[in-house]
Amino acid sequence: MIATALDHLPSPPCARLLGWHLLDARPQEGWIRIGFVGKPDFCNPAGLVQGGILSAMLDDTMGPAVFAMTDGKLYTSTISMTVNFLKPARPGTIIGEARVTQLGKTVAFMEGRLMAEDGTVRAPATASARLVETAKAIAPSVS
């Protein structure tokens, strides 16, 4: 797998909770593929992964596409995100893909989608995010 700036970023608690793991990336193209674990704890009473959790997975796919594309120089703060829930997501492996559609000086536009392991799209999304210098957005860890 290709090396990205994400390799040097400590995994945040929310990413660990979602089972986030990098599957593939083409940073020059602003494209990324992320794997998630749809845990039974994430399910609604119908036994399906709750929409808010799916939205968090999408957010945690689209933002890293920008981070990887800018070689870790820019961090995203989501301004808006629109999600369409096409099919229910069941517990298990969920795959996220995203690409940067436009990278400006202060705002990025992205699109993403979540899929089942068989490639069936469960939820597509679009988002805009404010761009922040990573050094200003992420506090250095205190040892």
Side-chain angles (χ1 to χ4, degrees), residues 4 6 20 22 24-34 58-72 74 76 97-101 103 108-112:
T4 71
L6 292 161
W20 189 104
L22 180 64
D24 198 3
R26 294 190 297 265
Q28 300 82 2
E29 297 174 31
W31 178 87
I32 198 163
R33 179 179 289 143
I34 306 293
L58 282 159
D59 198 38
D60 242 5
T61 302
M62 292 185 282
V66 172
F67 190 83
M69 183 181 200
T70 63
D71 197 30
L74 296 175
T76 56
E97 284 185 358
R99 72 180 189 92
V100 179
T101 57
L103 184 67
F109 296 90
M110 303 144 296
E111 59 185 23

Side-chain angles (χ1 to χ4, degrees), residues 11-142:
S11 182
C14 61
R16 288 192 302 272
L17 176 69
L18 296 172
W20 189 104
H21 53 283
L22 180 64
L23 296 174
D24 198 3
R26 294 190 297 265
Q28 300 82 2
E29 297 174 31
W31 178 87
I32 198 163
R33 179 179 289 143
I34 306 293
F36 295 97
V37 179
K39 301 173 188 175
D41 290 349
F42 296 164
C43 291
N44 60 25
L48 304 168
V49 179
Q50 196 267 346
I53 299 291
L54 297 174
S55 296
M57 291 176 179
L58 282 159
D59 198 38
D60 242 5
T61 302
M62 292 185 282
V66 172
F67 190 83
M69 183 181 200
T70 63
D71 197 30
K73 293 177 181 72
L74 296 175
Y75 182 83
T76 56
S77 177
T78 303
I79 297 169
S80 68
M81 182 168 65
T82 299
V83 181
N84 294 297
F85 301 101
L86 303 181
K87 293 186 177 194
R90 301 196 182 285
T93 300
I94 297 173
I95 307 297
E97 284 185 358
R99 72 180 189 92
V100 179
T101 57
Q102 186 173 3
L103 184 67
K105 291 183 180 181
T106 59
V107 176
F109 296 90
M110 303 144 296
E111 59 185 23
R113 61 188 182 158
L114 291 181
M115 301 169 288
E117 270 190 291
D118 67 3
T120 306
V121 176
R122 302 304 188 194
T126 57
S128 61
R130 184 171 64 92
L131 298 172
V132 181
E133 291 176 35
T134 299
K136 293 179 182 177
I138 300 175
S141 41
V142 179

